Amino acid sequence: MIATIQNEIFILHPSGALFWKEKKLLLISDVHLGKVSHFRKHGVAIPNDAILENFKRLNTIVEVFAPEKLIFLGDLFHSSKNQEWNLFEEWVSCCVSEITLVAGNHDIINKKHYTQIKVNVVQSLEIDDFLLTHHPTVKEGFFNFSGHIHPGVILRGLGGQSLKLRCFYQNKNQMILPAFGEFTGKHIVKPTQEDVIYAIANEEVMLVNKK
């Protein structure tokens, strides 16, 4: 699915990633690496194979777009360092993209650990008239890309059936990306007629609500 924002072309991918075509820049939000290991440590029965799923997804999306820059819009890691940090460090060493983390509320790992593996960490980022943050932010003169809320939408059929789907949630000056990571959940949004919703289903992005 292609969206034109501020005369720039963006590709919305079913993974939840967003590719800025002109800048060759890939945006990903809320991966929550380490969450599976964190839950397993506290006795939640999640298959150990699930740990590798996020890395498989990251590999796939990088291969699809071959971005020059990869920007994570916060909550890259779910909590403190665990066994998944070693996997992330290995993944970064194989990634040819320049990587930046716009820090989110879950990003409590000390910045020095990212610096050591050549990952830049910032609180926000301005590129032309676009503002990249973790929390949805309003700033005059900027269109904001963010994450944090893990947006989802409920689609209802004529027979009363319903589906809860991840979505890209866009209003006048903002687009909130869906969570990229596994086991992240959804916050159901209630769009107005002025909002634009791109739902993700069956490896496809669909425009389901257009202003």
Side-chain angles (χ1 to χ4, degrees):
M1 173 66 69
I2 294 176
T4 302
I5 303 172
Q6 311 278 64
N7 296 316
E8 296 283 344
I9 296 175
F10 296 88
I11 301 174
L12 286 64
H13 191 269
S15 65
L18 182 76
F19 184 65
W20 188 347
K21 188 173 181 181
E22 182 185 22
K23 301 291 186 183
K24 297 182 180 179
L25 187 157
L26 187 65
L27 299 177
I28 295 174
S29 189
D30 297 276
V31 185
H32 287 272
L33 294 173
K35 189 171 186 178
V36 173
S37 296
H38 178 77
F39 280 8
R40 284 175 59 85
K41 180 180 177 180
H42 290 83
V44 180
I46 299 176
N48 200 47
D49 289 348
I51 290 175
L52 299 177
E53 186 59 33
N54 282 325
F55 293 100
K56 291 178 181 178
R57 290 160 61 86
L58 286 170
N59 284 335
T60 297
I61 197 66
V62 169
E63 288 175 3
V64 167
F65 291 110
E68 292 181 357
K69 295 182 179 182
L70 171 57
I71 299 177
F72 291 103
L73 296 180
D75 288 359
L76 174 56
F77 265 80
H78 184 71
S79 57
S80 56
K81 287 176 68 176
N82 55 32
Q83 63 173 315
E84 291 183 49
W85 176 265
N86 294 331
L87 294 173
F88 176 67
E89 187 172 346
E90 181 180 347
W91 182 83
V92 168
S93 69
C94 296
C95 182
V96 299
S97 307
E98 177 186 322
I99 302 175
T100 297
L101 167 61
V102 177
N105 52 291
H106 276 276
D107 292 308
I108 62 174
I109 296 174
N110 195 299
K111 180 179 177 179
K112 69 179 182 181
H113 296 295
Y114 289 102
T115 302
Q116 288 170 355
I117 60 173
K118 298 182 179 180
V119 174
N120 303 312
V121 181
V122 298
Q123 295 304 309
S124 64
L125 193 60
E126 295 179 5
I127 303 177
D128 298 339
D129 52 356
F130 292 88
L131 173 66
L132 311 182
T133 61
H134 176 61
H135 291 85
T137 303
V138 176
K139 185 174 182 179
E140 186 175 353
F142 286 86
F143 187 94
N144 175 226
F145 287 113
S146 66
H148 182 59
I149 72 169
H150 306 187
V153 66
I154 297 177
L155 300 185
R156 303 187 187 280
L158 296 177
Q161 69 274 31
S162 64
L163 285 174
K164 294 181 181 180
L165 303 174
R166 294 185 304 142
C167 70
F168 295 85
Y169 176 45
Q170 181 182 347
N171 56 34
K172 182 179 179 181
N173 295 308
Q174 186 177 82
M175 177 181 281
I176 303 173
L177 274 63
F180 185 89
E182 295 287 302
F183 306 108
T184 51
K186 308 178 193 71
H187 171 74
I188 301 302
V189 297
K190 297 180 179 179
T192 69
Q193 291 184 344
E194 297 300 312
D195 299 332
V196 180
I197 300 293
Y198 300 92
I200 300 172
N202 297 325
E203 297 303 311
E204 183 179 357
V205 179
M206 306 176 295
L207 178 59
V208 297
N209 188 62
K210 183 177 181 180
K211 62 182 179 180

